[in-house]
Amino acid sequence: MAHTAFPEGRKFDLTAIGRLCIDLNANEINRPMEQTMTFTKYVGGSPANIAIGVSRLGRKTAFIGKIADDQMGRFIRGYLDKEGIETRNVVTDTTGAVTGLAFTEIKSPTECSILMYRDNVADLKLSPLEVDESLIADSKALLVSGTALAASPSREAVLLAVDYARRHGTKVVFDLDYRPYTWRSEEETAAYYNLVAEKSDIIVGTREEFDCMEKFEANPGHDDRITASKWFGYTVGIVIIKHGKEGSIAYSADGQEHRARSFPAKVIKTFGAGDSYAAGFFHGLLSGWTIGKSMEFGSAAASIVISSHSCSDAMPTAAQVTDYIERCGRGEITAG
């Protein structure tokens, strides 16, 4: 039994709001960025990756965001359209803002980093007046990215979108997605993250991201149970805390803990794992699966993506994830 009952009769399974940017992934891997000479361009940004991932799994998705009026912005819109994602609420900026860039460094399968350019970016210019209430009303779930809370007017646009979701019974999924570069202070981050978390139905983040949210609270041991239990006093039904290679733990409002096995992978890079995990997990919940089965599906999807050079392009179909799980079960795939 899934712990979040999604509304029926909606056109869209998931609408995401937040960051749309460009990932430039290093082609010369196993070396520092200083020695990297060429990069391959992909659509990026956590909410974009998750929306693409959910769409690849056969779900109807939409996006609320803002793109630059340039070649990169047009590339992003074209890619979303090609993936079957509704873009009627993807607004084009008119102020001269630019597309955010994320250069990736792949020193080794375990040493990966991201160099982000986030000055005057279009995605943070989305205003409250540009958020389509009817789109949120016609969605089963609204995925909110924490990065979109980092600056105005995007911050207010997201808060309004969450209010629209609550008004129409649309479930709110909060992906903490903390990028320190965009924020002015840890206190600011904690304040706005808590505002959205209090109105969410599902919260997903790393242990470090939850630590940021607990800036003003007493949890010196970084205890996952203390973190999760706080939110069950609000509207939250599921809290997922990710611990990297150690896997994830999902806590549900009925007091249960859920863990999923990890799958072997021939790892090329580590980034993209969280977004593909989230896409697989949400697909499971939307299918009415148990939390455990949904986590397992997400874990397998993540293993596929970290075995690939890209994030968005590598998002698997449902058949590919099922096949991967079966092949792992037969011992055909091993870590490497």
Side-chain angles (χ1 to χ4, degrees):
M1 174 66 187
H3 291 255
T4 299
F6 294 94
E8 299 291 331
R10 303 283 173 99
K11 181 178 180 182
F12 298 101
D13 293 300
L14 182 78
T15 291
I17 184 169
R19 193 164 90 256
L20 289 165
C21 68
I22 297 292
D23 283 350
L24 292 159
N25 288 7
N27 290 330
E28 296 93 3
I29 62 174
N30 302 322
R31 66 180 66 180
M33 197 178 296
E34 292 87 341
Q35 297 173 19
T36 304
M37 299 306 293
T38 63
F39 300 81
T40 298
K41 177 179 71 174
Y42 302 105
V43 169
S46 290
N49 287 337
I50 294 169
I52 292 164
V54 172
S55 183
R56 288 264 177 92
L57 292 169
R59 296 277 170 191
K60 286 291 294 177
T61 62
F63 207 95
I64 300 170
K66 200 160 206 178
I67 52 175
D69 186 15
D70 61 17
Q71 296 92 328
M72 294 299 190
R74 290 189 286 277
F75 169 73
I76 290 169
R77 184 185 294 279
Y79 190 93
L80 296 179
D81 287 339
K82 179 172 68 72
E83 291 294 326
I85 296 170
E86 173 61 64
T87 59
R88 73 173 192 245
N89 204 181
V90 175
V91 185
T92 300
D93 174 77
T94 58
T95 69
V98 296
T99 303
L101 302 177
F103 290 87
T104 66
E105 176 181 62
I106 309 174
K107 284 185 180 179
S108 75
T110 56
E111 284 183 288
C112 300
S113 65
I114 299 174
L115 176 63
M116 299 187 83
Y117 287 76
R118 297 281 295 154
D119 292 323
N120 192 35
V121 288
D123 61 87
L124 289 174
K125 306 279 186 188
L126 181 72
S127 82
L129 295 176
E130 293 168 327
V131 176
D132 184 348
E133 180 178 0
S134 66
L135 183 59
I136 295 170
D138 209 11
S139 303
K140 293 180 181 179
L142 174 72
L143 172 74
V144 174
S145 164
T147 307
L149 295 167
S152 298
S154 171
R155 170 183 292 165
E156 291 78 15
V158 169
L159 292 172
L160 180 62
V162 170
D163 282 347
Y164 285 157
R166 297 240 66 88
R167 180 183 302 174
H168 295 286
T170 302
K171 297 299 181 181
V172 177
V173 181
F174 185 22
D175 175 20
L176 300 188
D177 187 31
Y178 174 60
R179 308 287 170 168
Y181 175 79
T182 321
W183 292 86
R184 285 190 290 254
S185 71
E186 293 176 354
E187 292 78 11
E188 182 188 48
T189 305
Y192 285 98
Y193 271 39
N194 276 275
L195 273 177
V196 173
E198 289 170 4
K199 296 180 176 182
S200 298
D201 297 281
I202 301 170
I203 308 175
V204 183
T206 65
R207 179 64 255 178
E208 293 75 19
E209 287 172 333
F210 277 100
D211 290 342
C212 291
M213 198 156 63
E214 293 177 347
K215 173 75 177 174
F216 304 117
E217 295 163 50
N219 187 5
H222 309 290
D223 188 309
D224 289 350
R225 290 178 191 83
I226 292 174
T227 295
S229 62
K230 168 186 174 176
W231 299 111
F232 298 138
Y234 295 92
T235 55
V236 178
I238 303 171
V239 176
I240 301 178
I241 304 176
K242 298 183 286 188
H243 288 272
K245 287 181 289 187
E246 284 76 52
S248 304
I249 309 170
Y251 296 87
S252 48
D254 59 6
Q256 293 189 56
E257 293 181 23
H258 312 261
R259 298 172 191 260
R261 65 189 176 111
S262 58
F263 292 87
K266 298 195 183 308
V267 181
I268 292 178
K269 43 84 172 118
T270 52
F271 44 82
D275 298 338
S276 48
Y277 174 90
F281 178 75
F282 299 145
H283 170 71
L285 288 188
L286 287 160
S287 301
W289 299 349
T290 63
I291 292 175
K293 183 179 179 182
S294 301
M295 291 173 75
E296 183 175 279
F297 196 84
S299 181
S303 291
I304 292 172
V305 170
I306 61 176
S307 304
S308 169
H309 185 257
S310 76
C311 297
S312 54
D313 273 17
M315 291 292 175
T317 64
Q320 287 172 323
V321 178
T322 301
D323 178 64
Y324 195 89
I325 293 171
E326 290 172 353
R327 288 169 62 203
C328 287
R330 295 193 297 265
E332 295 175 14
I333 298 175
T334 57

